Amino acid sequence: MSGQYTVSFAPHLYDKSSTRGIMADVVIALLPSLAAAILVFGWRAALLTGVCVLSCLVFEGLFQIIVKKPVTVFDFSAVITGMLLAFNLPVGLPLWQAIFGCFVAIVLVKQLFGGLGKNFANPALTARIVLFLTFTASMTVWVPVQDVIVSTGASPQVTDTLTSATPLRIMHNGDMHLLPSLWEMFIGLRGGCLGETSALALLLGGLYLIVRRVITWHIPVSFMASVLIFSFLFGVDPLYHLLAGGLFLGAIFMATDYVTSPQTARGRLIFGASCGIITMIIRVFGNYPEGVSFAILFMNMLVPYINRLTIPRALGVMKP
């Protein structure tokens, strides 16, 4: 009997999902937040997002052409990096600084480490931190939220919102009387980065990803739960710390990154809870009022060790 056979080890599992399909789902999940950002901040939000997406696509394509690797710009991964980076920036950031951030994310963090699936840290988060350390002044300028239509029951009315300072900065300064209401923070009528203000839009995107089985609940729930618990223990308002800053954006879309998060459910719970604890330590005791980006990046570096501790050994394999 002649012929060629493909020999592989069990288990033999087939899954219809693809990298392109998963990334497309993430893009869809981010669209409500983009719409909310445009409503709250105006069309500058769309411009900044478009510039970041286009820059990431160009940098990825050019790098792969230069090093003679397959061009993978159509798998949507660079699109997601561009959108997430834009969502972590003030809407008024100069475009050339955003483009520099895209270069850091795509070339320095992603492609130089081997491309998709091989980067040790989240590219968009790393680029955000580089921009914050390099261009601190422009990365901490928050434009006032524009006039928006808010329904108040019988008829809509125009409200002239709010303050340009972020809720975390207001709490950090102790000016609690200047805080927006919890409802305003939930729908996004507050200062902050482009894509982090509307918890409602981010929750809708997160629920879509869970229903589509792109992500699991473990990291977002453990991340948010630990923030609530440690807010209470540290004597600060749990609900404001849950809704303030980039917690929803980080917990749902950035901490759940396949490449830089643990592979097991137990590992994801450890990862998410640790991110929440570090976030609250920075927020309460640090000089900088936000800690989500730093917490996720720090835990990204510990993922190999979390995997090693939580991935079950194969039957019959002895301890090293």
Side-chain angles (χ1 to χ4, degrees), residues 29-61:
L30 288 168
L31 292 180
S33 297
L34 177 59
I38 295 172
L39 176 64
V40 172
F41 293 112
W43 288 103
R44 185 56 160 68
L47 175 63
L48 181 60
T49 304
V51 167
C52 286
V53 169
L54 180 61
S55 299
C56 286
L57 289 170
V58 170
F59 284 134
E60 179 152 296

Tab-separated table of all heavy atoms in Angstrom, residues 29-61:
chain	number	residue	atom	x	y	z
A	29	ALA	N	-16.128	44.464	18.262
A	29	ALA	CA	-16.391	44.757	19.673
A	29	ALA	C	-15.906	46.144	20.079
A	29	ALA	O	-16.427	46.734	21.042
A	29	ALA	CB	-15.727	43.696	20.553
A	30	LEU	N	-14.920	46.678	19.376
A	30	LEU	CA	-14.399	48.008	19.691
A	30	LEU	C	-15.223	49.135	19.071
A	30	LEU	O	-15.073	50.298	19.469
A	30	LEU	CB	-12.945	48.127	19.217
A	30	LEU	CG	-11.901	47.350	20.023
A	30	LEU	CD1	-10.566	47.327	19.283
A	30	LEU	CD2	-11.724	47.936	21.415
A	31	LEU	N	-16.085	48.822	18.122
A	31	LEU	CA	-16.832	49.861	17.412
A	31	LEU	C	-17.777	50.666	18.315
A	31	LEU	O	-17.891	51.883	18.135
A	31	LEU	CB	-17.603	49.247	16.236
A	31	LEU	CG	-16.737	48.716	15.087
A	31	LEU	CD1	-17.611	48.131	13.985
A	31	LEU	CD2	-15.825	49.809	14.531
A	32	PRO	N	-18.489	50.047	19.282
A	32	PRO	CA	-19.310	50.881	20.169
A	32	PRO	C	-18.503	51.937	20.929
A	32	PRO	O	-18.961	53.075	21.106
A	32	PRO	CB	-19.935	49.860	21.129
A	32	PRO	CG	-19.954	48.580	20.376
A	32	PRO	CD	-18.694	48.602	19.545
A	33	SER	N	-17.293	51.570	21.353
A	33	SER	CA	-16.445	52.534	22.060
A	33	SER	C	-15.977	53.643	21.130
A	33	SER	O	-15.863	54.806	21.540
A	33	SER	CB	-15.246	51.819	22.685
A	33	SER	OG	-15.672	50.891	23.647
A	34	LEU	N	-15.710	53.300	19.881
A	34	LEU	CA	-15.327	54.331	18.910
A	34	LEU	C	-16.486	55.285	18.669
A	34	LEU	O	-16.295	56.512	18.617
A	34	LEU	CB	-14.889	53.674	17.602
A	34	LEU	CG	-14.517	54.634	16.467
A	34	LEU	CD1	-13.371	55.554	16.880
A	34	LEU	CD2	-14.138	53.851	15.207
A	35	ALA	N	-17.695	54.733	18.536
A	35	ALA	CA	-18.871	55.587	18.344
A	35	ALA	C	-19.081	56.500	19.547
A	35	ALA	O	-19.396	57.691	19.395
A	35	ALA	CB	-20.109	54.723	18.108
A	36	ALA	N	-18.901	55.962	20.759
A	36	ALA	CA	-19.055	56.774	21.966
A	36	ALA	C	-17.999	57.878	22.008
A	36	ALA	O	-18.289	59.015	22.402
A	36	ALA	CB	-18.960	55.892	23.203
A	37	ALA	N	-16.764	57.559	21.604
A	37	ALA	CA	-15.699	58.559	21.615
A	37	ALA	C	-16.001	59.698	20.648
A	37	ALA	O	-15.761	60.874	20.950
A	37	ALA	CB	-14.364	57.895	21.256
A	38	ILE	N	-16.533	59.359	19.469
A	38	ILE	CA	-16.884	60.395	18.491
A	38	ILE	C	-18.016	61.262	19.025
A	38	ILE	O	-18.005	62.492	18.875
A	38	ILE	CB	-17.263	59.745	17.151
A	38	ILE	CG1	-16.048	59.040	16.541
A	38	ILE	CG2	-17.798	60.797	16.177
A	38	ILE	CD1	-16.371	58.200	15.321
A	39	LEU	N	-19.002	60.642	19.675
A	39	LEU	CA	-20.111	61.397	20.249
A	39	LEU	C	-19.644	62.344	21.339
A	39	LEU	O	-20.084	63.498	21.422
A	39	LEU	CB	-21.156	60.428	20.812
A	39	LEU	CG	-22.354	61.053	21.534
A	39	LEU	CD1	-23.193	61.888	20.569
A	39	LEU	CD2	-23.208	59.987	22.196
A	40	VAL	N	-18.727	61.870	22.176
A	40	VAL	CA	-18.292	62.655	23.330
A	40	VAL	C	-17.241	63.688	22.958
A	40	VAL	O	-17.304	64.840	23.392
A	40	VAL	CB	-17.762	61.715	24.436
A	40	VAL	CG1	-17.113	62.519	25.559
A	40	VAL	CG2	-18.895	60.855	24.988
A	41	PHE	N	-16.257	63.306	22.139
A	41	PHE	CA	-15.124	64.176	21.864
A	41	PHE	C	-15.160	64.832	20.480
A	41	PHE	O	-14.343	65.691	20.195
A	41	PHE	CB	-13.811	63.398	22.002
A	41	PHE	CG	-13.507	62.949	23.400
A	41	PHE	CD1	-13.526	61.605	23.736
A	41	PHE	CD2	-13.200	63.864	24.389
A	41	PHE	CE1	-13.245	61.187	25.020
A	41	PHE	CE2	-12.911	63.457	25.688
A	41	PHE	CZ	-12.940	62.114	26.002
A	42	GLY	N	-16.052	64.387	19.610
A	42	GLY	CA	-16.105	64.959	18.274
A	42	GLY	C	-15.311	64.152	17.268
A	42	GLY	O	-14.738	63.105	17.571
A	43	TRP	N	-15.260	64.637	16.041
A	43	TRP	CA	-14.647	63.885	14.946
A	43	TRP	C	-13.135	63.787	15.047
A	43	TRP	O	-12.511	63.018	14.327
A	43	TRP	CB	-15.053	64.505	13.608
A	43	TRP	CG	-16.480	64.220	13.290
A	43	TRP	CD1	-17.540	65.074	13.400
A	43	TRP	CD2	-17.022	62.976	12.853
A	43	TRP	NE1	-18.706	64.446	13.062
A	43	TRP	CE2	-18.420	63.157	12.717
A	43	TRP	CE3	-16.470	61.729	12.568
A	43	TRP	CZ2	-19.262	62.129	12.301
A	43	TRP	CZ3	-17.307	60.706	12.154
A	43	TRP	CH2	-18.693	60.913	12.022
A	44	ARG	N	-12.511	64.566	15.950
A	44	ARG	CA	-11.069	64.406	16.173
A	44	ARG	C	-10.758	62.990	16.666
A	44	ARG	O	-9.683	62.449	16.418
A	44	ARG	CB	-10.601	65.440	17.195
A	44	ARG	CG	-9.071	65.498	17.460
A	44	ARG	CD	-8.267	65.717	16.201
A	44	ARG	NE	-6.936	66.215	16.366
A	44	ARG	CZ	-5.888	65.595	16.902
A	44	ARG	NH1	-6.040	64.406	17.439
A	44	ARG	NH2	-4.704	66.155	16.916
A	45	ALA	N	-11.725	62.376	17.362
A	45	ALA	CA	-11.538	60.997	17.829
A	45	ALA	C	-11.438	60.034	16.652
A	45	ALA	O	-10.608	59.124	16.638
A	45	ALA	CB	-12.700	60.591	18.749
A	46	ALA	N	-12.274	60.236	15.638
A	46	ALA	CA	-12.214	59.390	14.440
A	46	ALA	C	-10.917	59.613	13.681
A	46	ALA	O	-10.303	58.662	13.164
A	46	ALA	CB	-13.414	59.671	13.538
A	47	LEU	N	-10.473	60.871	13.597
A	47	LEU	CA	-9.221	61.176	12.905
A	47	LEU	C	-8.043	60.508	13.588
A	47	LEU	O	-7.200	59.871	12.930
A	47	LEU	CB	-9.015	62.694	12.859
A	47	LEU	CG	-7.683	63.173	12.279
A	47	LEU	CD1	-7.554	62.760	10.814
A	47	LEU	CD2	-7.539	64.686	12.434
A	48	LEU	N	-7.953	60.639	14.916
A	48	LEU	CA	-6.832	60.045	15.646
A	48	LEU	C	-6.836	58.523	15.499
A	48	LEU	O	-5.776	57.911	15.275
A	48	LEU	CB	-6.917	60.430	17.125
A	48	LEU	CG	-5.800	59.909	18.033
A	48	LEU	CD1	-4.438	60.426	17.581
A	48	LEU	CD2	-6.064	60.306	19.482
A	49	THR	N	-8.002	57.912	15.585
A	49	THR	CA	-8.092	56.461	15.430
A	49	THR	C	-7.686	56.046	14.026
A	49	THR	O	-6.941	55.072	13.845
A	49	THR	CB	-9.521	55.972	15.734
A	49	THR	OG1	-9.897	56.392	17.048
A	49	THR	CG2	-9.606	54.461	15.650
A	50	GLY	N	-8.168	56.758	13.028
A	50	GLY	CA	-7.824	56.427	11.647
A	50	GLY	C	-6.333	56.545	11.375
A	50	GLY	O	-5.742	55.690	10.699
A	51	VAL	N	-5.710	57.604	11.905
A	51	VAL	CA	-4.271	57.786	11.723
A	51	VAL	C	-3.496	56.645	12.384
A	51	VAL	O	-2.535	56.112	11.810
A	51	VAL	CB	-3.832	59.150	12.282
A	51	VAL	CG1	-2.311	59.237	12.392
A	51	VAL	CG2	-4.353	60.274	11.407
A	52	CYS	N	-3.910	56.241	13.575
A	52	CYS	CA	-3.214	55.153	14.270
A	52	CYS	C	-3.365	53.828	13.528
A	52	CYS	O	-2.398	53.071	13.385
A	52	CYS	CB	-3.745	55.025	15.700
A	52	CYS	SG	-3.183	56.317	16.822
A	53	VAL	N	-4.564	53.540	13.065
A	53	VAL	CA	-4.787	52.285	12.329
A	53	VAL	C	-3.969	52.273	11.044
A	53	VAL	O	-3.274	51.287	10.739
A	53	VAL	CB	-6.287	52.102	12.032
A	53	VAL	CG1	-6.498	50.951	11.040
A	53	VAL	CG2	-7.054	51.836	13.316
A	54	LEU	N	-4.032	53.351	10.276
A	54	LEU	CA	-3.284	53.415	9.021
A	54	LEU	C	-1.784	53.318	9.266
A	54	LEU	O	-1.063	52.607	8.542
A	54	LEU	CB	-3.623	54.707	8.284
A	54	LEU	CG	-2.923	54.922	6.938
A	54	LEU	CD1	-3.288	53.808	5.954
A	54	LEU	CD2	-3.283	56.292	6.356
A	55	SER	N	-1.291	53.995	10.283
A	55	SER	CA	0.142	53.963	10.590
A	55	SER	C	0.586	52.553	10.956
A	55	SER	O	1.646	52.089	10.516
A	55	SER	CB	0.463	54.929	11.727
A	55	SER	OG	0.142	56.257	11.369
A	56	CYS	N	-0.200	51.857	11.772
A	56	CYS	CA	0.157	50.487	12.155
A	56	CYS	C	0.183	49.566	10.936
A	56	CYS	O	1.081	48.720	10.808
A	56	CYS	CB	-0.826	49.968	13.205
A	56	CYS	SG	-0.589	50.677	14.855
A	57	LEU	N	-0.773	49.710	10.052
A	57	LEU	CA	-0.793	48.895	8.834
A	57	LEU	C	0.436	49.170	7.967
A	57	LEU	O	1.071	48.238	7.453
A	57	LEU	CB	-2.071	49.169	8.039
A	57	LEU	CG	-3.377	48.649	8.638
A	57	LEU	CD1	-4.568	49.200	7.871
A	57	LEU	CD2	-3.404	47.124	8.634
A	58	VAL	N	0.782	50.444	7.812
A	58	VAL	CA	1.930	50.809	6.977
A	58	VAL	C	3.226	50.306	7.599
A	58	VAL	O	4.074	49.706	6.909
A	58	VAL	CB	1.982	52.336	6.781
A	58	VAL	CG1	3.305	52.755	6.133
A	58	VAL	CG2	0.807	52.799	5.923
A	59	PHE	N	3.414	50.517	8.894
A	59	PHE	CA	4.646	50.075	9.547
A	59	PHE	C	4.785	48.550	9.485
A	59	PHE	O	5.878	48.033	9.240
A	59	PHE	CB	4.680	50.544	10.998
A	59	PHE	CG	4.999	52.001	11.164
A	59	PHE	CD1	4.248	52.800	12.023
A	59	PHE	CD2	6.047	52.587	10.469
A	59	PHE	CE1	4.541	54.137	12.181
A	59	PHE	CE2	6.345	53.927	10.620
A	59	PHE	CZ	5.585	54.708	11.482
A	60	GLU	N	3.690	47.835	9.690
A	60	GLU	CA	3.771	46.382	9.645
A	60	GLU	C	4.095	45.898	8.233
A	60	GLU	O	4.963	45.040	8.038
A	60	GLU	CB	2.460	45.756	10.122
A	60	GLU	CG	2.470	44.222	10.087
A	60	GLU	CD	1.543	43.617	11.109
A	60	GLU	OE1	1.799	43.817	12.307
A	60	GLU	OE2	0.566	42.959	10.706
A	61	GLY	N	3.403	46.455	7.228
A	61	GLY	CA	3.655	46.042	5.858
A	61	GLY	C	5.068	46.356	5.397
A	61	GLY	O	5.736	45.516	4.795
